Amino acid sequence: MTTTLPRPAMPSAPVAPADGHAIEAVDLVRTYHTHLGVLRRRKIEVPAVRGISFAVRPGELFGLLGPNGAGKTTTIKMLITLLLPTSGTARVMGYDVVRDTTEVRKRIGYVFGGDRGLYDRVSALDNLRYFAELYGVDPDVQRTRIGALLEMVGLTGREKEKVEGYSRGMRQRLHIARGLLHDPEVVFLDEPSIGLDPVGARELRQTVQSLVDAGKTVLLTTHYMFEADALCDRIAVINAGRIVALGTGSDLKGAIANRTIVEIETFGVTDEAVGRLRADPEVGAVNTEERDQSQILLVQSERGAHITQRLLGLLGETRIGKVVAREPTLEDAYVHLIATTGDDEARAARAASVQ
């Protein structure tokens, strides 16, 4: 259910920062109130966002990455005026997201992942005509704008087909066209490629890049690290409601740039064996991934492939499959950041919820 926020009759004048940010968040905090218990219900506060600050330049494609529950969607909902911040401030194109709700909404488009938000039994063209009316797009410019958007998202020639026959990738591109009908200056994309097959995801990435080429400012959340690395000018990593790293993809990878990643496929590996790897003085970190019937150990070391035999020896009787040594990726840097940050906050939140 959409929250209707209070707003004054006339918006305050936009106060653009000296460096001209399209999006600016300063110490944003959002706390939820909930209750625990059955007989003796207690009211508790659950912090979702814990003082986030960042700025996005006009025309920039900015990525916001983090695990489920880290606070990404809560942050976006505050920026697009669907949630009130508990404290802190945020501006979009110089307008305050609390005081100037109407002005902010005129300047933003919001696209989310999934199948909701379209009418399946009518054509893509009729969908866009309907939403253009809702957005208040001038009838004199509707036809030209819809045609341009269909071309941008690669649906020209398919616009008269019913949406129920569209692939998921086509539906996501139609979502983007819908979000651009009122020609917003800033576009928020919340996991737009979720659930897409590789071909659909590639087509969607091309569409996202075309938004930046058209002069839009884009804030993107995604769980696909290669997607963020390929598209984003800068990336912020959020964990437990805080930004734990911010920079270009190269900046983030720089934290582990002097390490080599040794991927070891294991079957039935024990906690004791993993503990022996982590205790080795020449091992920087060990992360694990479950894949089908095996568990992949991602071992970071400055020794590179030279340490491989030693690692296998530490695993003892563990059955070993494929072993590969490679250079670190953004995903490796992200996993390292998430594994080494946010633990204290997460433990504190869990403790508060059970006290």
Side-chain angles (χ1 to χ4, degrees):
M1 181 176 180
T2 302
T3 303
T4 303
L5 302 181
R7 56 180 181 268
M10 293 295 291
S12 58
V15 181
D19 47 5
H21 294 138
I23 304 170
E24 184 181 30
V26 180
D27 295 328
L28 271 186
V29 173
R30 174 68 189 190
T31 301
Y32 291 97
H33 297 276
T34 187
H35 292 81
L36 285 179
V38 178
L39 299 178
R40 295 184 178 181
R41 291 181 62 79
R42 296 179 292 109
K43 185 176 182 180
I44 64 169
E45 291 187 351
V46 179
V49 174
R50 306 162 179 260
I52 282 179
S53 298
F54 65 90
V56 182
R57 298 183 293 266
E60 185 175 23
L61 204 165
F62 187 86
L64 191 60
L65 309 182
N68 291 331
K72 303 185 302 299
T73 298
T74 299
T75 299
I76 284 185
K77 285 185 176 180
M78 287 189 284
L79 293 173
I80 66 175
T81 76
L82 292 184
L83 281 178
L84 282 169
T86 302
S87 64
T89 60
R91 291 182 176 274
V92 176
M93 299 308 294
Y95 288 96
D96 188 277
V97 298
V98 176
R99 295 196 305 270
D100 307 324
T101 303
T102 302
E103 295 302 313
V104 170
R105 290 178 178 177
K106 289 178 182 177
R107 291 162 174 79
I108 63 173
Y110 176 49
V111 179
F112 50 87
D115 293 330
R116 298 170 300 160
L118 297 170
Y119 292 96
D120 286 355
R121 298 191 178 183
V122 298
S123 68
L125 183 59
D126 287 337
N127 265 273
L128 294 180
R129 286 170 175 166
Y130 171 73
F131 285 110
E133 292 292 334
L134 289 185
Y135 286 136
V137 179
D138 190 323
D140 293 335
V141 302
Q142 279 188 25
R143 182 174 180 180
T144 301
R145 184 168 297 171
I146 289 173
L149 288 173
L150 287 168
E151 183 174 356
M152 172 184 281
V153 300
L155 292 178
T156 300
R158 307 289 300 272
E159 68 271 20
K160 294 184 179 179
E161 299 176 20
K162 289 184 178 180
V163 173
E164 63 185 2
Y166 274 17
S167 67
R168 180 166 288 188
M170 293 170 68
R171 295 167 73 95
Q172 270 312 106
R173 285 183 276 149
L174 183 58
H175 271 300
I176 291 178
R178 187 202 63 185
L180 296 173
L181 281 167
H182 57 305
D183 196 23
E185 298 162 88
V186 181
V187 183
F188 294 86
L189 303 177
D190 194 3
E191 299 185 29
S193 56
I194 188 169
L196 296 186
D197 60 73
V199 174
R202 175 178 291 183
E203 292 173 346
L204 188 71
R205 289 195 294 274
Q206 294 171 347
T207 301
V208 172
Q209 185 58 56
S210 72
L211 298 181
V212 180
D213 295 340
K216 306 295 183 185
T217 302
V218 178
L219 191 152
L220 169 73
T221 73
T222 180
H223 283 299
Y224 302 123
M225 298 302 111
F226 68 92
E227 184 172 85
D229 201 12
L231 289 174
C232 297
D233 299 308
R234 288 187 303 140
I235 297 167
V237 178
I238 179 173
N239 191 21
R242 301 185 189 277
I243 289 180
V244 297
L246 195 158
T248 64
S250 297
D251 292 336
L252 300 187
K253 286 181 282 189
I256 57 172
N258 62 337
R259 300 181 181 182
T260 295
I261 308 298
V262 180
E263 285 192 14
I264 306 174
E265 183 182 28
T266 64
F267 301 88
V269 66
T270 64
D271 292 340
E272 290 78 9
V274 176
R276 289 196 296 270
L277 291 182
R278 289 183 170 139
D280 188 286
E282 293 186 328
V283 170
V286 179
N287 297 298
T288 61
E289 292 182 4
E290 298 290 339
R291 296 184 189 172
D292 298 327
Q293 305 299 317
S294 65
Q295 188 173 44
I296 306 298
L297 305 182
L298 303 174
V299 185
Q300 299 179 20
S301 174
E302 295 182 10
R303 286 285 310 280
H306 301 293
I307 201 176
T308 301
Q309 289 302 319
R310 181 167 160 184
L311 299 176
L312 297 180
L314 291 171
L315 289 173
E317 299 299 318
T318 303
R319 283 204 302 134
I320 304 297
K322 185 170 60 175
V323 180
V324 178
R326 58 172 175 77
E327 294 300 311
T329 64
L330 179 62
E331 182 172 350
D332 297 317
Y334 168 83
V335 170
H336 175 72
L337 283 166
I338 298 304
T340 56
T341 61
D343 292 342
D344 292 340
E345 291 89 341
R347 280 194 293 269
R350 286 195 296 269
S353 67
V354 298
Q355 287 175 355

